[in-house]
Amino acid sequence: MTDPVIVKQGTSPVILGFPHTGTFVPPEIEARLNDNGRLLADTDWHVDRLYDGLLADATTVKATFHRYVIDANRDPSGASLYPGQNTTGLIPETDFDGKPIWNEGAVPIEADIAARIEAYHAPYHAALSAEIARVKAEHGIAILYDCHSIRSHIPFLFTGKLPDFNIGTNLGVTCAPEFEAAVESVVAHAPGYDHAVNGRFKGGWTTRHYGRPATGVHAIQMELAQSTHLATEAPPFAYDETKAGKLRRHLQDILERIERLSFSARM
């Protein structure tokens, strides 16, 4: 069985989370997906590659399983992140366009949910929790930067075009204001890009669950429009080296700034 999570320990106060880059679907679950589901279209395509090497000493925590198996960025209780708005759940029944992803009669039931929490969701968060505790013990502070991407046009989820950079801190609750300001300062001055702070995406369960600034743990979600680094936002979702190279400079600036800020904040 594929390990549900891969951890690379670093010496920085910064931890990069990758809950949605995994594409592993065990055969018994894949057999229940319909043709649309097997496209795995809602993957955060190439986001781990996009951030690779930008902050060499950062810790990384990556889920290997696909969000259709279970979504590592959803509350295990099943509570909605955005009550009253279209969204996908702990185990999605549809894709981001609202189209079914499971064969008829194969939609996961409570027993499936419990088994997948135990096999996938819980191990991912156990690993992430352990790294946050380790980093905080070493530095007195931990900065969880949760890395995401999504197509720039998804009418089922939002109207119009999504901004290029979407910063989520649950309305400023999950990190000290100086960290949010540092990230926004970079993207606000990135020529040719637009951004939003706590717009359609305010931070998922990971950000909201771990972000406790009063305890020295700060969490920020960055949701990137996939048009910023993909050749096309449709199969085969190819990585665009030119677009990505331009974007990576700004992402590196973000990570270096929050790392410097974390060092000064602990003094």
Side-chain angles (χ1 to χ4, degrees), residues 98-242:
K99 298 176 182 177
I101 59 174
W102 301 100
N103 290 321
E104 187 174 352
V107 174
I109 59 176
E110 285 187 18
D112 296 313
I113 295 170
R116 295 186 203 181
I117 288 174
E118 181 179 359
Y120 299 100
H121 192 283
Y124 175 78
H125 284 284
L128 186 55
S129 296
E131 291 309 305
I132 290 171
R134 179 186 65 83
V135 167
K136 184 174 179 290
E138 181 177 346
H139 296 285
I141 191 171
I143 315 299
L144 173 59
Y145 179 96
D146 216 35
C147 308
H148 295 260
S149 75
I150 195 168
R151 286 177 283 139
S152 58
H153 292 85
I154 307 180
F156 182 70
L157 296 182
F158 50 82
T159 58
K161 176 192 174 295
L162 190 72
D164 299 313
F165 294 98
N166 298 271
I167 302 164
T169 63
N170 198 24
L171 302 177
V173 170
T174 65
C175 70
E178 55 265 32
F179 287 101
E180 180 184 296
V183 177
E184 185 179 15
S185 176
V186 174
V187 300
H189 294 92
Y193 297 95
D194 55 6
H195 77 282
V197 180
N198 293 308
R200 174 60 179 86
F201 296 100
K202 296 177 175 61
W205 185 74
T206 302
T207 306
R208 302 182 198 193
H209 179 67
Y210 294 104
R212 298 288 184 272
T215 71
V217 179
H218 306 261
I220 300 169
Q221 177 175 300
M222 177 62 79
E223 187 87 55
L224 298 168
Q226 290 180 345
S227 55
T228 61
H229 58 283
L230 297 186
T232 175
E233 297 178 289
F237 301 102
Y239 189 76
D240 187 309
E241 292 280 3
T242 301

Side-chain angles (χ1 to χ4, degrees), residues 57-79:
D57 53 352
T59 292
T60 60
V61 180
K62 293 197 284 188
T64 60
F65 53 93
H66 195 263
R67 68 191 304 157
Y68 292 170
V69 176
I70 192 165
D71 194 328
N73 197 35
R74 294 293 184 271
D75 190 330
S77 75

